[in-house]
């Protein structure tokens, strides 16, 4: 299959994502990642554009399932109400616990979920990249917070961290977290 054909095939999927030629960046991830401390609710502060994220008040809630996998509940408020996507995350290799894989039933793509940096109690920097035979890749990046806002300096540091790992952030956009219901 030619690269162009592949690209045409995948274009509907990637057109609203950020995509680039070549292979994925290989950023470093959070050392000694502790999943237990990471569980709970995270609010999205900024993201690279993603077709499945159109609303406001976007948040994710991570809980431990009995089988050791993680239940993922993503929610956003759209014009016609609350949209919830449920997924499952797993640590793929115990030697690299900060690299998870997430599967969603419908709305969202399956893919990697790499925690690049987190202090567990205020911010998290998450990256997801999928490459098609190293010909091109599309990626997602999220800056998450335990509250609906983050100090600008923390956001700037999160972006600096990603930029230093060759992640392109020119399309990064802020998530509207105003006028949201209380949890
Ligand atoms: C992860 O954090 C929990 C809660 O603070 C703690 O009980 C546990 O020992 C930690 N696990 C590791 C591997 O450090
Ligand atoms: C897990 O990761 C380590 C370090 O990257 C690697 O050496 C090992 O082969 C991996 N294990 C599996 C089952 O993929």
């Amino acid at each position: 299959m030619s690269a162009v054909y592949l690209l045409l095939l995948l274009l509907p999927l990637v057109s609203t994502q950020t995509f680039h030629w070549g292979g994925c960046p290989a950023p470093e991830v959070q050392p000694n990642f502790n999943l237990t401390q990471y569980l709970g609710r995270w609010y999205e502060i900024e993201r690279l554009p993603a077709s499945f994220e159109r609303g406001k008040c976007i948040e994710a809630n991570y809980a431990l399932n009995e089988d050791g996998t993680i239940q993922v509940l993503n929610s956003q408020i759209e014009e016609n109400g609350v949209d919830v996507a449920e997924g499952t995350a797993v640590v793929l290799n115990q030697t690299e616990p900060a690299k998870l894989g997430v599967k969603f039933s419908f709305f969202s793509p399956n893919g990697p979920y790499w925690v690049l940096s987190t202090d567990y109690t205020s911010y998290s920097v998450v990256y997801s990249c999928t490459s098609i035979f190293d010909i091109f890749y599309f990626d997602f990046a999220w800056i998450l917070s335990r509250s609906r806002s983050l100090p600008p300096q923390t956001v700037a540091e999160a972006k600096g961290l990603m930029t230093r790992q060759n992640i392109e952030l020119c399309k990064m956009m802020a998530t509207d977290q105003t006028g949201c219901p209380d949890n």
Side-chain angles (χ1 to χ4, degrees), residues 92-96:
L92 300 169
N93 181 337
Q94 289 299 338
T95 64
E96 295 178 299

Side-chain angles (χ1 to χ4, degrees), residues 4 17 20 26 33 44 46 54 60 66 82 89 94 98 102 113 123 132 137 164 170 180:
V4 172
Q17 322 310 142
H20 312 271
F33 179 66
E44 183 184 274
E46 294 214 14
R54 292 170 304 269
E66 277 178 14
V82 181
Q94 289 299 338
V102 185
Y113 180 111
Y123 78 94
I132 311 296
Y137 66 90
R164 283 194 302 278
C170 51
C180 301

Side-chain angles (χ1 to χ4, degrees), residues 36-77:
T36 311
Q37 292 177 32
Y38 194 76
L39 299 175
R41 196 184 302 276
W42 288 98
Y43 299 98
E44 183 184 274
I45 304 301
E46 294 214 14
R47 65 172 183 272
L48 285 178
S51 61
F52 49 89
E53 294 186 283
R54 292 170 304 269
K56 57 182 271 185
C57 306
I58 301 177
E59 60 182 67
N61 210 327
Y62 306 117
L64 202 56
N65 288 320
E66 277 178 14
D67 64 0
T69 62
I70 297 114
Q71 181 203 50
V72 179
L73 283 177
N74 286 347
S75 71
Q76 60 184 329
I77 296 183

Side-chain angles (χ1 to χ4, degrees), residues 28-177:
E28 286 170 20
V29 295
Q30 173 67 41
N32 305 314
F33 179 66
N34 186 316
L35 185 57
T36 311
Q37 292 177 32
Y38 194 76
L39 299 175
R41 196 184 302 276
W42 288 98
Y43 299 98
E44 183 184 274
I45 304 301
E46 294 214 14
R47 65 172 183 272
L48 285 178
S51 61
F52 49 89
E53 294 186 283
R54 292 170 304 269
K56 57 182 271 185
C57 306
I58 301 177
E59 60 182 67
N61 210 327
Y62 306 117
L64 202 56
N65 288 320
E66 277 178 14
D67 64 0
T69 62
I70 297 114
Q71 181 203 50
V72 179
L73 283 177
N74 286 347
S75 71
Q76 60 184 329
I77 296 183
E78 295 190 281
E79 271 167 30
N80 48 2
V82 181
D83 169 43
V84 178
E86 181 168 359
T88 304
V90 291
V91 174
L92 300 169
N93 181 337
Q94 289 299 338
T95 64
E96 295 178 299
K99 295 183 178 178
L100 293 97
V102 185
K103 281 192 204 307
F104 283 93
S105 44
F106 277 74
F107 320 82
S108 317
N110 300 342
Y113 180 111
W114 288 13
V115 180
L116 303 191
S117 177
T118 185
D119 65 356
Y120 306 98
T121 55
S122 66
Y123 78 94
S124 175
V125 182
V126 180
Y127 186 61
S128 175
C129 185
T130 301
S131 127
I132 311 296
F133 302 130
D134 286 347
I135 297 167
F136 68 94
Y137 66 90
F138 55 98
D139 59 357
F140 305 94
W142 296 275
I143 298 171
L144 306 177
S145 168
R146 288 296 193 186
S147 56
R148 289 198 193 272
S149 65
L150 271 180
Q153 194 193 333
T154 308
V155 174
E157 281 167 10
K159 288 180 175 175
L161 181 142
M162 289 193 275
T163 303
R164 283 194 302 278
Q165 310 267 3
N166 300 317
I167 298 168
E168 243 180 69
L169 298 181
C170 51
K171 291 190 182 169
M172 206 77 180
M173 60 197 279
T175 301
D176 185 359
Q177 292 286 2

